[in-house]
Amino acid sequence: MKFFETSKYHSFKKSTYISLRWIGIVGQLISVNFVYFYLNFKFDFITSNLIIVLGILSNLYLVFIYKKTQLSDRSAFLFLVIDILQLGVLLYLTGGVANPFIIFLLIPSVFSSSNLSFKTNLMLVILTLILIILLTFYSKGLPSTIGDHFHVSSYYFYSIPVALIIALFFLNYFAMTFGTQSRLRKEALAKMEEVMAKEHELLSLGGQAAAAAHSLGTPLSTIKIITQDLSNQFKGQKDIEKDIQLLSSQVQRCNEILKRLSLNPNEEDDFIDKDLSMKEYLNQIISSFKEISNKNFFFNFDKDSNSKKITKSIELVYGLRNFIGNANKYSKESIYINLKSNSEITEVTIEDDGNGYPRDVLSKIGEPYLKSNNAADKSKSGLGLGLFIGKTLLEKNFASVNCKNSKTKQGAEVVIRWKNKELFNI
């Protein structure tokens, strides 16, 4: 059984941890020496400083001997155990749970909960819990003279460890929950950036292919004419005719290859950067889905009264494609797309006749890696990430995106809305 995990998410940067430890060590040195020399409180001053020196040595080990830039789950656990034990001994020497600095004993486990694995964090929480209990019953008294005047009811005294234990579990739970959500969101954003990088690369390749088709069209046509003239001149000379026919066939093959690579061989080169109206955007996207889907697409643009061109945007295209693709994936037979625009707003509504969004995830749409509690919906792969990417990309381009279940078509409904002054300034 493995107690430590090696996932890339269960580690943290060594330099950050070292800096935090130096801050803690300096704080301990200042506190111990200030209380002893300035306030004249009496306690085991020498042993306390020796414990702090052990913390300094462990940090110097991290700086000069431990060569990795990331602390693994196992290494982080060992050093956090050192931190907890070191602070526990200091607290034992200076009043136990009655020492107001006891709250700092919670920090290592809370720190680990958002960076390390659940098992590692659980072991640190258990260690911290044991130390709190031990320091409640076993410790040297508070430094005099404060210890001479600190006398409280046992109810109050025992409420301190109870409050610490509740805070320990409460803080760790929330740190772990928010840490998990943060990692999922970062992973989803990284995938979105990867997808967009591929889209930009494909656009660049498409543009190069179109430019090549246009630029090479003239010289290839010239070569073809020359081969025809040579064929007439050397008619009857079989060896030369054979070579000329081969040359002519290869020219034709070049033309066919360039046509296949080109997005549109009949357009001029500047079509790559051509601006489109929202209607044209949607027409292109719908046409691409019709080629690969046997479902029915109904595009209604009767209320589209604004045909102004929008700057070419891969994010806009990909965001719309994700929602239309999602409708295509989960619909039964039909997808309904409605475009409405005027001088103030542009609104795109995408509906389908599927089963709609599961009720338990409807309020969370836009978050990555959603999972429904409904057994029938758990089998649907990809629920969440595509919507997250589409929503993020469109909102980045000034859209408001509202996902709900359709009241007229039974399935899902997405309403994407722009203010025209923002849409036409993308």
Side-chain angles (χ1 to χ4, degrees):
M1 178 178 177
K2 288 188 176 180
F3 286 97
F4 301 97
E5 298 180 25
T6 56
S7 166
K8 62 181 178 179
Y9 298 117
H10 298 142
S11 62
F12 48 82
K13 195 175 179 181
K14 183 181 79 169
S15 60
T16 302
Y17 180 53
I18 289 172
S19 299
L20 292 172
R21 291 186 101 225
W22 281 131
I23 292 170
I25 289 168
V26 170
Q28 290 172 1
L29 281 171
I30 292 173
S31 299
V32 166
N33 287 277
F34 177 80
V35 167
Y36 186 79
F37 288 110
Y38 186 78
L39 299 179
N40 294 317
F41 287 179
K42 303 304 178 184
F43 60 96
D44 195 341
F45 172 73
I46 294 176
T47 306
S48 296
N49 276 287
L50 286 174
I51 296 300
I52 296 172
V53 168
L54 290 176
I56 293 173
L57 292 175
S58 67
N59 223 27
L60 290 174
Y61 174 86
L62 279 175
V63 174
F64 296 108
I65 299 176
Y66 192 90
K67 299 300 182 182
K68 297 179 181 178
T69 58
Q70 296 284 326
L71 281 172
S72 66
D73 201 57
R74 181 187 295 272
S75 299
F77 171 76
L78 293 174
F79 282 101
L80 286 168
V81 166
I82 291 172
D83 291 340
I84 292 171
L85 293 176
Q86 187 234 13
L87 185 55
V89 174
L90 274 178
L91 291 166
Y92 168 80
L93 296 171
T94 55
V97 293
N99 189 320
F101 290 99
I102 187 73
I103 189 69
F104 288 102
L105 196 61
L106 308 184
I107 291 177
S109 63
V110 174
F111 176 75
S112 75
S113 62
S114 58
N115 295 279
L116 304 179
S117 68
F118 175 77
K119 291 178 182 177
T120 302
N121 181 240
L122 181 62
M123 288 189 285
L124 291 172
V125 168
I126 292 171
L127 176 61
T128 305
L129 178 64
I130 292 170
L131 278 178
I132 291 173
I133 294 171
L134 289 175
L135 289 171
T136 302
F137 297 102
Y138 305 101
S139 68
K140 293 187 177 181
L142 284 166
S144 59
T145 59
I146 190 173
D148 298 335
H149 303 286
F150 190 81
H151 302 287
V152 296
S153 165
S154 59
Y155 290 105
Y156 179 82
F157 181 81
Y158 290 115
S159 70
I160 296 173
V162 171
L164 288 171
I165 291 169
I166 293 172
L168 175 68
F169 285 101
F170 181 83
L171 292 173
N172 273 272
Y173 171 75
F174 275 93
M176 190 176 295
T177 301
F178 288 123
T180 301
Q181 291 177 356
S182 177
R183 284 194 293 270
L184 286 174
R185 187 163 288 271
K186 285 179 181 178
E187 183 182 349
L189 285 169
K191 287 189 176 182
M192 184 187 76
E193 290 172 359
E194 182 182 346
V195 166
M196 294 314 301
K198 287 181 179 179
E199 287 292 312
H200 281 283
E201 184 180 351
L202 288 172
L203 182 66
S204 175
L205 289 172
Q208 292 174 34
H214 176 70
S215 301
L216 294 175
T218 301
L220 286 172
S221 297
T222 304
I223 294 170
K224 188 173 183 179
I225 292 169
I226 292 172
T227 56
Q228 290 173 351
D229 290 340
L230 289 172
S231 179
N232 292 329
Q233 289 179 24
F234 293 97
K235 192 173 183 179
Q237 299 184 31
K238 294 183 179 180
D239 292 340
I240 297 176
E241 270 189 334
K242 187 177 180 181
D243 290 336
I244 293 172
Q245 288 173 2
L246 178 61
L247 179 60
S248 180
S249 67
Q250 293 305 304
V251 170
Q252 184 61 33
R253 187 182 175 192
C254 286
N255 275 318
E256 290 172 358
I257 291 170
L258 288 171
K259 283 178 182 179
R260 286 200 300 270
L261 289 173
S262 174
L263 296 176
N264 188 339
N266 298 318
E267 287 283 350
E268 295 296 327
D269 293 350
D270 61 359
F271 89 96
I272 300 162
D273 300 313
K274 183 180 178 182
D275 296 339
L276 303 173
S277 66
M278 182 58 71
K279 177 183 171 183
E280 291 169 325
Y281 267 118
L282 292 170
N283 264 324
Q284 286 191 0
I285 295 169
I286 293 168
S287 296
S288 68
F289 277 107
K290 283 182 177 178
E291 293 177 2
I292 59 173
S293 174
N294 57 3
K295 295 179 181 178
N296 303 312
F297 287 81
F298 299 95
F299 182 27
N300 179 13
F301 47 88
D302 293 343
K303 295 182 180 179
D304 176 28
S305 59
N306 194 328
S307 58
K308 188 176 179 180
K309 305 292 184 181
I310 304 166
T311 304
K312 189 78 170 181
S313 169
I314 296 175
E315 287 84 1
L316 196 66
V317 172
Y318 201 84
L320 291 168
R321 274 188 64 86
N322 265 25
F323 282 110
I324 295 174
N326 197 68
N328 176 62
K329 182 177 181 180
Y330 294 108
S331 64
K332 294 176 181 176
E333 294 181 355
S334 303
I335 299 96
Y336 305 87
I337 300 163
N338 184 67
L339 173 61
K340 181 174 69 175
S341 69
N342 53 38
S343 59
E344 297 294 327
I345 62 100
T346 296
E347 184 177 283
V348 179
T349 304
I350 303 166
E351 297 176 273
D352 63 71
D353 61 351
N355 296 322
Y357 299 116
R359 291 184 179 277
D360 56 337
V361 302
L362 190 56
S363 62
K364 302 175 185 177
I365 286 177
E367 297 179 13
Y369 305 111
L370 292 177
K371 289 185 179 179
S372 173
N373 294 323
N374 189 326
D377 295 315
K378 280 184 178 179
S379 61
K380 296 179 180 179
S381 61
L383 181 61
L385 185 57
L387 295 179
F388 166 78
I389 293 175
K391 193 170 187 289
T392 302
L393 290 173
L394 291 174
E395 288 178 346
K396 179 184 174 184
N397 284 274
F398 312 113
S400 66
V401 180
N402 181 24
C403 299
K404 55 187 177 181
N405 284 325
S406 175
K407 295 179 180 179
T408 57
K409 303 295 189 300
Q410 297 182 341
E413 178 181 343
V414 181
V415 180
I416 306 163
R417 184 185 177 97
W418 287 270
K419 292 180 181 178
N420 286 342
K421 62 181 180 180
E422 294 176 336
L423 176 61
F424 298 126
N425 286 321
I426 291 176

